[in-house]
Amino acid sequence: MSGTVAAATNNSVGVAGVAFGAKVMPLRVCGRFGCDDYDIEQAMRFAAQLPNDSGTTPSRRADVINISLGGPGSSTASQAVYDQVRAAGVVIVAAAGNEASSIPSYPAAYPGVIGVSAVDINKNLAAYSNFGPWVSVAAPGGSTARDVNGDGKPDGVL
């Protein structure tokens, strides 16, 4: 996702980001054995310049946090962290999920989080994308394995 947002532009190489002047604060929240809510919450607190277990904060807080992960579980403790991060002035965007399901996926389904589904080149819900009333907006996704419009090129977002 960060490449879609912040990729360099006007350099005749690859693709252009939609916010090519943006700076990225990469934070690792998943390890060899998966992602733990606690680790995700600590990274979010760090990015928002809130107290966290590292005892440090960045010199500038994030304006937007993008979370391209999720699952079916929710908790009041996690919701409280998302509320604190939002209260610090940070916009939170999260992937709706790729299971073609209407079952809410968290963190995308938490109140105040912008849940994003995917659409194909024809602006139809992508076959894999989650959906439901908890989704706030859809963005281009598609599939790099298909050529829906017949131009000889795959129709997914690189």
Side-chain angles (χ1 to χ4, degrees):
M1 290 307 307
S2 59
T4 300
V5 172
T9 241
N10 201 25
N11 61 4
S12 300
V13 178
V15 299
V18 296
F20 53 86
K23 299 208 182 317
V24 175
M25 180 191 304
L27 299 176
R28 181 179 172 177
V29 298
C30 298
R32 286 185 6 195
F33 304 109
C35 302
D36 180 277
D37 284 347
Y38 182 79
D39 293 332
I40 295 166
E41 293 163 9
Q42 288 298 307
M44 294 195 50
R45 294 179 65 74
F46 174 86
Q49 288 184 320
L50 296 172
N52 61 81
D53 286 355
S54 76
T56 64
T57 57
S59 58
R60 184 176 185 274
R61 74 159 172 76
D63 294 319
V64 178
I65 294 175
N66 177 70
I67 308 168
S68 295
L69 54 80
S74 68
S75 75
T76 55
S78 289
Q79 175 68 66
V81 171
Y82 288 86
D83 291 345
Q84 291 169 355
V85 169
R86 287 186 54 245
V90 180
V91 174
I92 305 169
V93 180
N98 298 328
E99 295 79 35
S101 171
S102 64
I103 297 171
S105 179
Y106 295 89
Y110 282 126
V113 173
I114 300 170
V116 183
S117 66
V119 293
D120 64 19
I121 195 165
N122 294 322
K123 300 179 185 170
N124 296 316
L125 186 69
Y128 56 83
S129 185
N130 288 4
F131 55 92
W134 49 274
V135 173
S136 305
V137 67
S143 171
T144 57
R146 296 178 52 202
D147 177 17
V148 175
N149 66 353
D151 67 356
K153 299 176 184 170
D155 295 324
V157 175
L158 298 175

